[in-house]
Amino acid sequence: MKRSLLLPWLLLLAICGAAHAEKADSTKPTNIEADQMVYDDVRQVKTFTGNVVLTRGTLLIKAGRVVLTTDQYGYEYAVLYAAPGSLASFRQKRDGGPDLWIEGQAERIEYSEQTEISKLFNRAHIQRMDGKRITDEVNGEFISYDSRAEFYSVNNTASGESKPGAGRITAVIQPKNPPAQPAPPTQPAQPGKDQ
């Protein structure tokens, strides 16, 4: 690999770090609210439309439409579609600390339970948070995240390819240890006053 290509990959790996979703979520029931549901039992496809809110443990998903397909082995494949003029979004607690989160949004989000790969298409954004503080974030037209391998790929086209002149991706990498807040100044003792 050329030296000029190595630095961006190292920066991308630094952004990603460990972003494991909370493992306990996989054992929780999935609750879905929507304006409508259509269930095709033969094809094992459930379609929820209208202000869809899906929760599973710490996972919170919001979208205009969600299509859940179950394969012959019982794995689910989800596709989230944004409502017109907005973005589909997710938020989930990460393992590794008491208040670590990952959030993402895009016009379309695909997730495979079997491969544990998430793909975000068009106006894609992912950020990792420690409490309310954003620790790292990436933006692009396409983001793929493999949670097993802890590997991100961010591209400037929704096809998953990067093409010259198609736009830029952005990444913000915060310092791992944020600067300490200065202590408030102490008042010196005044002579002649009882202490």
Side-chain angles (χ1 to χ4, degrees), residues 26-146:
S26 64
T27 63
K28 304 282 171 53
T30 301
N31 299 299
I32 304 172
E33 296 178 22
D35 295 337
Q36 180 184 21
M37 175 188 168
V38 175
Y39 179 42
D40 182 340
D41 195 22
V42 174
R43 292 185 16 220
Q44 289 294 296
V45 177
K46 301 168 220 50
T47 304
F48 301 88
T49 53
N51 296 318
V52 182
V53 178
L54 182 149
T55 57
R56 182 184 212 181
T58 66
L59 174 64
L60 171 65
I61 290 174
K62 294 181 179 182
R65 180 167 55 115
V66 174
V67 179
L68 297 174
T69 305
T70 306
D71 71 13
Q72 64 185 1
Y73 303 106
Y75 291 109
E76 286 194 337
Y77 182 79
V79 182
L80 289 62
Y81 298 93
S86 67
L87 297 172
S89 66
F90 71 88
R91 175 179 166 89
Q92 188 169 30
K93 188 172 182 315
R94 297 183 292 128
D95 282 334
D99 203 17
L100 301 177
W101 296 87
I102 187 165
E103 296 180 348
Q105 57 187 18
E107 290 180 15
R108 185 175 89 237
I109 302 173
E110 298 178 1
Y111 174 74
S112 169
E113 183 181 38
Q114 182 178 18
T115 63
E116 295 183 30
I117 294 176
S118 300
K119 295 178 181 178
L120 291 78
F121 299 86
N122 301 98
R123 297 190 293 156
H125 173 84
I126 289 183
Q127 62 188 26
R128 296 183 331 149
M129 302 176 73
D130 185 350
K132 294 184 187 282
R133 184 177 71 87
I134 298 172
T135 56
D136 302 304
E137 60 185 313
V138 292
N139 297 285
E141 286 302 301
F142 174 82
I143 300 173
S144 177
Y145 175 62
D146 181 335

